[in-house]
Amino acid sequence: MQGVHGPLTTGDLVIAADFGTSGVKVGAVDRDLTLRARVVETYPLDLGPGGHAEQAPADWWWALARAIARLTDEIPDLPQRAGALSFGSQICGVVCVGEDGAPLRPCLTWLDKRAAPLGRALVGGAPQVHGYQIGKLLRWLRIANGAPAKNGMDPTAKFLWIKREEPEVFARTRWFMDVKDWLVLRATGRPITTAESANLTWLMDTRRGREGWSPRLAAMTGIPLDKLPEIADGADVVGTLTTGAAADLGLPAGLPVMGGVSDVTAAALGSGEVEDGALHICIATSAWISGFFPNRRLNVPASYATITSSVGFRPLLIASQENAGSALEWAVKMTGGAETTETLATAFAQVGEARPNDPYFLPWLAGERVPVDDDALRGVLHGLRLHHGPPEIRRAAIEGVALNIRWAYSKVAREKGVRLEGPISMVGGVAANPRFAQTLADALHRPLRVGEARHAGVLGAAALAAPVLGWSATVWEAAARLRGKTTATYTPDPDRAAALDARNAQLAVIRRNAIRSFSRTRTRS
């Protein structure tokens, strides 16, 4: 079945699901892109030594089923009113799928770094620059506008890890799929991927007019292209719910299913910032600075680039950092929050005012990616004193994450065409924390506009279906309306901004020393 455009259903609600690292947010969204009901269902993440981070795909599916059942409790006629099902999800996962569509092993999530040595070997060699063999790097940059990360996060190294460590699984794998791709397969029976996921395998040609799998890049990596599914547009209807999937989800068979998007594109659409050069910041488990551009962009030293988005192959700049909400959650847990009902929306409300001798925090608990791509970096609390306790550590965590984002923002802001005037939009779960939002506004010297903080991904996924349902002419037109859904605005405080400038200057020295120290440690090991 080819992708389908144009109104083809009379339903007045979209069921949109945003699959994150810790759970799925599911909403029923109407033609004004307003959430009429929303629920969250969690699922486990299996963490282990050596960078192990896996999830069972079945857990995603049954969390979706539970969420839809809860939505139906709130909207009893939801199955009859649903016009489409649309997915957004975490990206850079690897699901090894057999001929029957069943996973052959748990998913290696984006957090899984066991393949880091293979990633470095894949791109390394002499002569090199920034850890990349120059000839390989030039070929990847020309064809794909980027290259596999050295930290093992990207699927390329994970494919090779499966090939080396689990050769029987590699041999039986019919398709390597990202998280969303497997969900679409489970829902429709059709094996597809979309451009973001394809791009980040670094096996896709992203040059305008040539978008598709690249035999040359496949030959460089040793990954057979016949194990990769067809690339479809995320705004196309790629299939309909099978009888079995419909029974699982309590929805009618034949319900249209969209191609879907990654979490980064879902957040971009959900932020409403769809004009070229308009940036937004997403703060969730990880963080990223992102925005659409009219052409490909690349910054090798700072480890970011545009990827090819799922909607019309439009370039989407992503400067992704590994640690944000996860680092804040760690700080809460380490200061007694594990025994309370504290959430990230409230945990930092009573920490008091910042003081000049507060400790400094480098939030690299899972390595870092932008603007330094190094999985060996680790978190640092610098300058602890005897009188420091939970309030000081929590203040340091808020400030450290905000200044880490400022570090990446300082690179992205130099891109030609970036819009630097006016508020910058922030979405993601951590955006609901007023203390963090104000600190980031102060750190960036720029007003922050908070949209539908926890549910931008749901709204962005829903926007994909707007043209199909006749709600708008294009996905972009629908998404642009979301910019008006502002829930809070934060204006920089001049005194606090100046204090953070001074703290950031000292943190830059600490950061440089830490990077050198971790680099020497890896060299010795």
Side-chain angles (χ1 to χ4, degrees):
M1 175 182 178
Q2 296 301 311
V4 177
H5 286 295
L8 51 75
T9 175
T10 58
D12 67 338
L13 294 174
V14 174
I15 299 175
D18 177 22
F19 289 84
T21 307
S22 58
V24 59
K25 305 177 185 73
V26 186
V29 183
D30 68 15
R31 68 179 302 116
D32 295 322
L33 295 187
T34 298
L35 278 164
R36 291 304 179 189
R38 58 192 182 188
V39 298
V40 178
E41 286 286 337
T42 62
Y43 35 71
L45 173 66
D46 180 19
L47 297 174
H52 173 112
E54 296 184 345
Q55 286 181 321
D59 289 340
W60 308 326
W61 182 255
W62 294 115
L64 174 66
R66 294 192 302 272
I68 291 174
R70 290 174 57 196
L71 283 179
T72 305
D73 288 341
E74 296 190 43
I75 306 175
D77 58 350
L78 177 64
Q80 293 74 42
R81 296 176 63 186
L85 179 63
S86 186
F87 298 135
S89 80
Q90 55 177 297
I91 198 170
C92 290
V94 172
V95 184
C96 300
V97 180
E99 191 72 50
D100 62 354
L104 300 174
R105 67 174 321 284
C107 172
L108 280 72
T109 70
W110 66 275
L111 270 173
D112 196 297
K113 303 294 179 61
R114 285 174 287 178
L118 288 174
R120 288 191 288 273
L122 175 65
V123 302
Q128 67 173 240
V129 59
H130 301 297
Y132 289 86
Q133 198 276 334
I134 292 174
K136 295 178 185 177
L137 180 61
L138 290 176
R139 284 192 292 274
W140 257 307
L141 297 185
R142 181 172 59 85
I143 298 171
N145 197 50
K150 301 187 293 290
N151 65 7
M153 185 185 93
D154 291 345
T156 333
K158 292 181 170 76
F159 296 157
L160 296 175
W161 187 89
I162 294 289
K163 187 177 184 179
R164 187 182 75 175
E165 301 295 329
E166 300 177 1
E168 71 291 347
V169 172
F170 187 89
R172 292 171 55 205
T173 296
R174 176 63 187 88
W175 298 288
F176 286 116
M177 290 188 156
D178 209 339
V179 174
K180 162 191 54 60
D181 307 336
W182 182 81
L183 289 160
V184 170
L185 176 68
R186 182 69 181 82
T188 68
R190 182 181 175 190
I192 61 101
T193 188
T194 55
E196 297 118 326
S197 295
N199 194 163
L200 291 177
T201 66
W202 304 111
L203 299 172
M204 179 186 173
D205 191 331
T206 68
R207 290 173 290 183
R208 185 169 295 172
R210 303 187 188 186
E211 293 93 349
W213 296 118
S214 169
R216 186 168 188 185
L217 296 181
M220 284 174 59
T221 60
I223 303 299
L225 289 182
D226 62 5
K227 290 185 180 290
L228 303 174
E230 170 194 0
I231 301 173
D233 195 285
D236 279 350
V237 173
V238 296
T240 59
L241 275 187
T242 65
T243 302
D248 289 345
L249 302 181
L251 297 172
L255 181 69
V257 178
M258 311 305 299
V261 289
S262 69
D263 51 4
V264 290
T265 298
L269 296 172
S271 75
E273 301 290 1
V274 294
E275 297 295 323
D276 284 340
L279 299 178
H280 70 276
I281 300 174
C282 184
I283 315 288
T285 302
S286 59
W288 59 83
I289 303 166
S290 184
F292 291 102
F293 282 81
N295 46 36
R296 301 194 312 182
R297 302 295 173 92
L298 176 68
N299 187 321
V300 174
S303 301
Y304 72 79
T306 54
I307 65 169
T308 304
S309 77
S310 290
V311 184
F313 297 129
R314 188 178 178 191
L316 176 64
L317 185 146
I318 304 171
S320 179
Q321 296 187 305
E322 305 291 70
N323 309 275
S326 57
L328 298 177
E329 288 173 346
W330 173 87
V332 172
K333 183 172 67 174
M334 290 298 103
T335 54
E339 288 78 40
T340 75
T341 59
E342 287 184 301
T343 68
L344 285 186
T346 61
F348 297 87
Q350 305 299 324
V351 297
E353 294 302 314
R355 297 179 181 176
N357 64 5
D358 278 349
Y360 295 87
F361 181 52
L362 299 176
W364 305 328
L365 303 178
E368 194 48 279
R369 187 169 175 88
V370 171
V372 171
D373 178 13
D374 191 343
D375 63 294
L377 298 182
R378 290 295 177 262
V380 175
L381 267 170
H382 179 90
L384 286 172
R385 305 185 183 198
L386 286 174
H387 69 274
H388 287 157
E392 288 79 12
I393 291 174
R394 291 192 182 194
R395 290 200 301 265
I398 283 276
E399 178 186 280
V401 172
L403 291 177
N404 203 50
I405 293 169
R406 169 174 165 161
W407 186 32
Y409 177 83
S410 69
K411 311 297 183 183
V412 175
R414 300 173 188 170
E415 285 291 331
K416 181 180 179 181
V418 167
R419 301 187 179 197
L420 298 175
E421 301 300 322
I424 187 169
S425 294
M426 181 166 66
V427 298
V430 182
N433 184 299
R435 179 73 179 238
F436 180 83
Q438 184 61 56
T439 301
L440 187 58
D442 297 337
L444 298 181
H445 291 257
R446 188 168 176 183
L448 281 180
R449 182 191 73 84
V450 176
E452 289 277 359
R454 292 187 59 82
H455 298 281
V458 172
L459 294 172
L464 296 177
V468 169
L469 293 165
W471 297 350
S472 67
T474 67
V475 172
W476 312 112
E477 178 186 295
R481 300 203 302 265
L482 291 169
R483 199 177 190 284
K485 295 182 180 293
T486 299
T487 59
T489 301
Y490 297 87
T491 302
D493 175 84
D495 292 338
R496 182 63 183 141
L500 281 175
D501 286 346
R503 295 271 297 173
N504 187 63
Q506 180 61 36
L507 188 66
V509 176
I510 297 167
R511 184 188 297 132
R512 286 194 298 270
N513 290 337
I515 290 171
R516 283 197 292 266
S517 175
F518 287 123
S519 178
R520 287 195 297 269
T521 300
R522 174 155 55 191
T523 301
R524 288 195 298 269
S525 63

